[in-house]
Amino acid sequence: MGKPTGFLEYKREDNKDIDPQKRIENYEWFHEPLKEEERREQGARCMNCGVPLCQSGMKLSGMYTGCPLHNLIPEWNDEVYHSHPAYAFSRLQKTNNFPEFTGRVCPALCEKACVEGENDDPVTIRDNELYVIETAFEKGYIKPRIPENRSSKKVAVIGAGPAGLACADRLNRRGHNVTVYEREPQIGGLLMYGIPNMKLPKEVIIRRKKLMEEEGVVFKTGVNVGVDITADELKKQYDAIVLCCGAKKPRSLPAADPAKIGGVYYAVDYLSQATRDLLSGAVTGGRSEALEFSKKKKKTSAKEEEKQLSPDGAKMFAAGKNVIIVGGGDTGNDCTATSIRQGAKSVIQLEMMPCPPSERAESNPWPEWPKTLKTDYGQEEAIALFGHDPRIYETTVKSVETKKDGLIKSVTTVKVRFENRKMVEVEGSEKTYPCDILLIAAGFVGCEDYTAEAFNIKRTQRNVAETAEGKYATSVPGVFAAGDMRRGQSLVVWGIVEGRSAAREVDEYLMGYSGLA
């Protein structure tokens, strides 16, 4: 909606990014918002579309485009343009429990389907969303919404990632008594421990936790369900249980086993440790501070260093080291940005697939998800620092060489191509790179075994909770699943969708009907 001629009068203008050379000196949020009048102009660009595909959330050619939450995007864009922040927020919160998360980390499926994007730059929907929610917090529009009436029903949500939080939020507002169990010291799941602070500041998650607690949700952190408390104990205490434990079982790399080779880690373990270091105050600055620290660091033996770098709790720190990352996706990019801030000597990202084209192919028309080259913030920082893109395409690890003490020394790569959907090595294409830390960011292969086994739920061939199509009830009565644990590795926005939908099914199970949309 917005201004009828706004899309003709104003060009797209994103939030301003701090220069890469400056932002790598800390772990802070590096996007500077537009002024209010500039944001109004961006809201004005939203066209009066007959069919606003931005909110469609539809599947085209095997990939989703448009917002899966079906956010009322044209409506709150119109309110942004007219300087009605309270009305804009009222529309936004109808469909999205946590716009402060999606406004920062969502890849903006909405913008990929924006009608204006067919012939011009799409509307800055994600930045507009973030403006709406942060303005609402700033102006005090967001207050605890405590249910007037409580049911006698008790629900346990296992896992405090986006799916678990969304499910708990809706069930609590419905009036049920909700307790969220989280094995980590802080809530958020991969929001807290898998996404770096510069991409999602942790105080944003803590702010939301405080609000949910004021509204009545109980959080029990540091409790590992299936270890610290049994499934049977929970079944006796609660009327329904929702498993939102994620899909954190990492895909391994045949040539490099983290359990056998020192200095080889799964990306999620590396990123989690980096966040723990930041939260504990062990790390306070960025690249320059890390390099200075490494110079002053007391000389240690190789074995002592390996203890420091072990996944059992101490440092996986990249200062002065050659880092190689296997995986060219979002997680690989986050590893690139984090290792740069930790003072890495060099960073390489290996990607098995070919380099995408810079523009859409004819076979990939709008409004499909654009299969085009994306240079993310971590890659931008590597280019600014080292003078070249860290990504090497159509390449994988063939073998690794270790030192006498078992620490990784180098990585030999090989070019690959796909023939009949099978990966084939290109003969004679091997290259060897020095490597002190090898990070595996090759995705995940389903949920971790112990929680699923504790509740004795059936799993699919993809190693996620088995439910009926479009449903959330597992094979065990009264036990539901949502988020990555049911869907497999996915986006934060899909976690929120799953949590919201599961809450409705749980509500219906408890009450015989549901008052949730």
Side-chain angles (χ1 to χ4, degrees):
M1 295 185 183
K3 186 177 182 181
T5 58
F7 72 100
L8 297 172
E9 296 177 35
Y10 308 116
K11 302 301 287 184
R12 178 185 173 104
E13 189 173 352
D14 296 290
N15 287 340
K16 306 298 183 184
D17 290 350
I18 294 172
D19 181 83
Q21 295 279 11
K22 292 182 180 179
R23 69 193 192 218
I24 62 175
E25 295 302 334
N26 57 62
Y27 291 81
E28 301 304 316
W29 174 254
F30 57 87
H31 306 286
E32 298 179 332
L34 301 180
K35 296 177 181 178
E36 184 176 348
E37 184 56 36
E38 293 173 321
R39 180 57 56 204
R40 288 187 63 236
E41 291 176 356
Q42 295 307 302
R45 294 187 71 240
C46 187
M47 302 164 66
N48 189 10
C49 302
V51 180
L53 295 177
C54 57
Q55 58 191 46
S56 62
M58 59 184 175
K59 199 171 187 179
L60 295 175
S61 300
M63 302 182 76
Y64 278 93
T65 187
C67 180
L69 283 165
H70 309 301
N71 283 339
L72 306 174
I73 295 165
E75 296 184 28
W76 42 260
N77 272 334
D78 184 49
E79 302 296 358
V80 167
Y81 166 61
H82 285 103
S83 294
H84 297 155
Y87 293 147
F89 171 64
S90 73
R91 306 309 292 163
L92 178 58
Q93 70 173 344
K94 284 186 175 295
T95 54
N96 191 348
N97 302 69
F98 312 120
E100 67 269 36
F101 302 157
T102 52
R104 287 178 167 89
V105 304
C106 187
L109 287 77
C110 50
E111 294 185 18
K112 309 307 184 285
C114 174
V115 172
E116 190 163 358
E118 183 178 14
N119 297 302
D120 197 356
D121 293 327
V123 174
T124 56
I125 300 172
R126 185 178 63 183
D127 285 354
N128 291 1
E129 176 183 52
L130 185 58
Y131 166 79
V132 171
I133 185 65
E134 289 303 323
T135 300
F137 273 110
E138 181 186 333
K139 293 185 176 293
Y141 302 148
I142 299 178
K143 297 182 178 2
R145 293 189 287 177
I146 302 168
E148 293 183 8
N149 300 298
R150 287 282 181 187
S151 75
S152 60
K153 305 298 183 181
K154 297 172 66 180
V155 182
V157 176
I158 317 302
L165 293 176
C167 185
D169 191 44
R170 291 203 93 197
L171 288 172
N172 177 67
R173 289 184 182 175
R174 178 74 169 95
H176 302 308
N177 302 283
V178 183
T179 301
V180 180
Y181 289 83
E182 171 55 53
R183 69 183 179 184
E184 298 289 351
Q186 299 281 354
I187 72 160
L190 290 180
L191 290 170
M192 176 65 74
Y193 293 102
I195 299 175
N197 193 72
M198 52 276 191
K199 193 171 178 180
L200 178 59
K202 304 314 167 191
E203 59 265 25
V204 172
I205 304 169
I206 295 168
R207 178 180 65 183
R208 178 58 69 169
K209 178 191 176 186
K210 290 179 179 177
L211 180 63
M212 291 179 68
E213 285 176 328
E214 290 177 22
E215 293 173 336
V217 176
V218 175
F219 289 100
K220 293 190 176 183
T221 56
V223 181
N224 195 351
V225 173
V227 177
D228 300 325
I229 186 170
T230 68
D232 287 340
E233 287 175 301
L234 289 175
K235 288 176 183 177
K236 290 176 184 177
Q237 294 179 42
Y238 295 94
D239 300 293
I241 297 170
V242 191
L243 303 178
C244 301
C245 309
K248 288 184 66 178
K249 192 172 185 178
R251 179 176 282 107
S252 61
L253 189 66
D257 185 348
K260 297 178 180 178
I261 303 174
V264 179
Y265 309 104
Y266 290 116
V268 69
D269 294 332
Y270 171 73
L271 293 172
S272 296
Q273 187 60 49
T275 294
R276 291 189 185 96
D277 288 342
L278 201 63
L279 292 174
S280 69
V283 170
T284 57
R287 184 172 179 83
S288 294
E289 182 180 296
L291 289 171
E292 188 63 28
F293 170 78
S294 68
K295 289 178 185 177
K296 293 179 179 179
K297 190 172 68 170
K298 189 177 176 180
K299 293 288 185 181
T300 58
S301 69
K303 283 296 181 184
E304 288 174 323
E305 185 175 5
E306 169 56 10
K307 287 179 182 178
Q308 290 180 346
L309 292 170
S310 75
D312 294 326
K315 297 284 185 180
M316 304 180 194
F317 210 65
K321 299 184 182 297
N322 298 296
V323 178
I324 294 180
I325 302 157
V326 181
D330 287 344
T331 302
N333 171 71
D334 290 337
C335 288
T336 296
T338 300
S339 61
I340 285 174
R341 282 163 177 76
Q342 289 185 348
K345 182 179 179 181
S346 67
V347 182
I348 293 174
Q349 257 186 283
L350 303 180
E351 170 59 72
M352 288 193 303
M353 302 305 293
C355 180
S358 56
E359 296 184 1
R360 283 181 183 268
E362 289 186 9
S363 59
N364 177 216
W366 174 90
E368 291 181 4
W369 174 268
K371 300 173 186 176
T372 54
L373 180 63
K374 172 189 175 186
T375 300
D376 214 329
Y377 76 104
Q379 286 118 24
E380 289 177 353
E381 291 163 2
I383 292 168
L385 185 63
F386 301 119
H388 60 85
D389 196 312
R391 292 169 290 187
I392 302 175
Y393 293 95
E394 297 180 282
T395 302
T396 191
V397 174
K398 184 170 185 176
S399 63
V400 301
E401 183 183 359
T402 59
K403 304 172 188 175
K404 290 181 180 179
D405 53 24
L407 290 173
I408 192 167
K409 177 183 179 182
S410 63
V411 166
T412 297
T413 66
V414 64
K415 286 285 186 181
V416 295
R417 62 172 181 264
F418 287 86
E419 296 178 357
N420 299 321
R421 297 186 178 181
K422 289 186 178 180
M423 190 176 72
V424 179
E425 293 184 0
V426 178
E427 189 176 346
S429 63
E430 291 84 0
K431 285 188 177 182
T432 300
Y433 299 92
C435 180
D436 304 298
I437 294 181
L438 178 63
L439 301 175
I440 304 172
F444 301 87
V445 291
C447 64
E448 294 171 289
D449 297 327
Y450 72 97
T451 311
E453 290 170 355
F455 286 91
N456 198 30
I457 62 169
K458 290 182 180 178
R459 283 177 276 177
T460 69
Q461 290 184 339
R462 296 179 62 214
N463 195 38
V464 293
E466 181 178 278
T467 67
E469 182 71 26
K471 299 292 184 179
Y472 298 84
T474 70
S475 56
V476 177
V479 179
F480 300 79
D484 288 2
M485 187 161 189
R486 188 195 80 96
R487 181 185 181 85
Q489 182 191 7
S490 193
L491 303 171
V492 170
V493 67
W494 276 113
I496 298 172
V497 170
E498 290 262 320
R500 288 173 61 88
S501 300
R504 188 184 190 285
E505 192 169 316
V506 171
D507 184 37
E508 196 170 72
Y509 168 79
L510 295 173
M511 307 299 290
Y513 69 98
S514 181
L516 299 173

